[in-house]
Amino acid sequence: MKCNYCKQTITRNLTMKEIFLPKKILSEQLCSRCAKKFQLLEKKESCQGCQRQTKKAYCNDCLRWQQLYPNYDFHHEALFSYNQAMQEWFEEYKFKGNYQLRYSFVSFLQSYFKQKKEFIVIPLPISKERMNVRGFNQVEGLLGAAGITYQPYLVRFADGVSQVTKTRNERLQLTQPFELTKEGQKAVSNQNILLVDDIYTTGRTIFHGAQVILENHPAKLYTFSLAR
């Protein structure tokens, strides 16, 4: 079998599970060399709000979000640091359209979401214009590859330039681009919701999505991203 990312042949002894699922593992493995490039986030000495590495209880960004959303008990989790290797991976997956890479972190995502079975998973959407250009929603791709059930209750009614091109201040000033479907408005009420994005930077996109969900009174609302 070959590495899902670098395509080099992986040589190791297969487990019994892998022997009986040969087609599945061909597209869902990273070689040890590639896996080492991606840095798992530490929960020690991290912000209680967004998991940024800090010795303070809350980073400056989360203190700002607490002022803007005083009634929201914000809790975000991520798996990986958005380091150079992860930036390059997202460039290949998200912007160059290598959709096969959605399988790269299957085992990590499955392990995380196994602990969130009582949550309704809602991915952040992309606009119709972005979908026409890219051809896929990168968040839904990751969830689907890992076999995670999700509900498309959020829709994006506003298009815009990719946030990669925006400064930090420009990202924070973005206006609300999301709304819940009618089905979603009923479905999230009094339920545990897990809002999922691919990358957490300033938190602006996540909080826009959270805002429209909070208006419909979920029991809990947590957020998650692959990278932070």
Side-chain angles (χ1 to χ4, degrees):
M1 61 183 176
K2 294 184 178 181
C3 174
N4 176 256
Y5 190 25
C6 73
K7 304 305 179 184
Q8 295 298 309
T9 300
I10 299 175
T11 55
R12 62 173 175 78
N13 294 327
L14 299 179
T15 65
M16 290 298 295
K17 181 179 180 181
E18 290 172 331
I19 290 173
F20 289 103
L21 295 172
K23 293 182 180 179
K24 188 177 181 63
I25 63 170
L26 287 177
S27 60
E28 294 187 5
Q29 296 289 317
L30 289 177
C31 66
S32 58
R33 185 173 65 177
C34 283
K36 289 178 182 178
K37 296 178 181 179
F38 303 106
Q39 179 184 351
L40 286 168
L41 284 173
E42 294 286 344
K43 291 191 176 181
K44 294 181 179 178
E45 295 189 346
S46 65
C47 173
Q48 295 176 26
C50 70
Q51 211 174 334
R52 170 181 286 173
Q53 295 300 295
T54 178
K55 293 184 178 180
K56 299 178 181 179
Y58 291 95
C59 67
N60 291 336
D61 278 354
C62 283
L63 290 176
R64 178 179 181 275
W65 294 128
Q66 287 175 352
Q67 292 179 338
L68 293 175
Y69 300 90
N71 298 319
Y72 176 27
D73 185 18
F74 175 57
H75 180 72
H76 183 83
E77 292 183 321
L79 294 179
F80 293 95
S81 168
Y82 191 56
N83 61 8
Q84 183 64 34
M86 187 59 77
Q87 291 179 44
E88 293 172 357
W89 183 89
F90 268 109
E91 175 69 22
E92 188 70 22
Y93 170 57
K94 188 173 176 179
F95 300 109
K96 294 183 179 180
N98 187 348
Y99 195 48
Q100 187 68 17
L101 290 183
R102 69 193 187 279
Y103 290 106
S104 296
F105 304 105
V106 161
S107 60
F108 295 96
L109 291 168
Q110 288 178 338
S111 178
Y112 175 84
F113 280 92
K114 189 179 294 184
Q115 307 169 47
K116 305 294 182 182
K117 291 182 178 180
E118 75 278 16
F119 283 78
I120 296 174
V121 177
I122 302 178
L124 279 170
I126 60 176
S127 66
K128 292 180 180 179
E129 291 84 358
R130 187 71 58 193
M131 178 66 80
N132 289 336
V133 172
R134 185 175 298 155
F136 63 92
N137 178 323
Q138 69 277 4
V139 181
E140 292 181 357
L142 292 169
L143 293 172
I148 308 302
T149 300
Y150 62 86
Q151 302 297 334
Y153 291 148
L154 270 181
V155 293
R156 182 166 188 142
F157 61 82
D159 192 25
V161 179
S162 172
Q163 288 204 46
V164 172
T165 66
K166 295 183 182 295
T167 66
R168 179 181 180 79
N169 187 58
E170 287 173 336
R171 294 181 186 186
L172 290 171
Q173 298 303 318
L174 291 173
T175 57
Q176 175 63 265
F178 303 121
E179 62 185 5
L180 273 176
T181 63
K182 290 183 178 180
E183 181 183 4
Q185 292 172 16
K186 298 177 181 178
V188 304
S189 179
N190 295 315
Q191 299 297 315
N192 295 333
I193 308 300
L194 183 58
L195 183 61
V196 181
D197 201 2
D198 53 352
I199 307 167
Y200 183 106
T201 48
T202 62
R204 178 65 278 179
T205 304
I206 282 281
F207 273 92
H208 271 150
Q211 183 177 349
V212 296
I213 293 174
L214 289 170
E215 290 171 356
N216 292 273
H217 312 292
K220 292 181 182 178
L221 174 57
Y222 292 164
T223 61
F224 169 83
S225 61
L226 177 67
R228 199 274 173 249

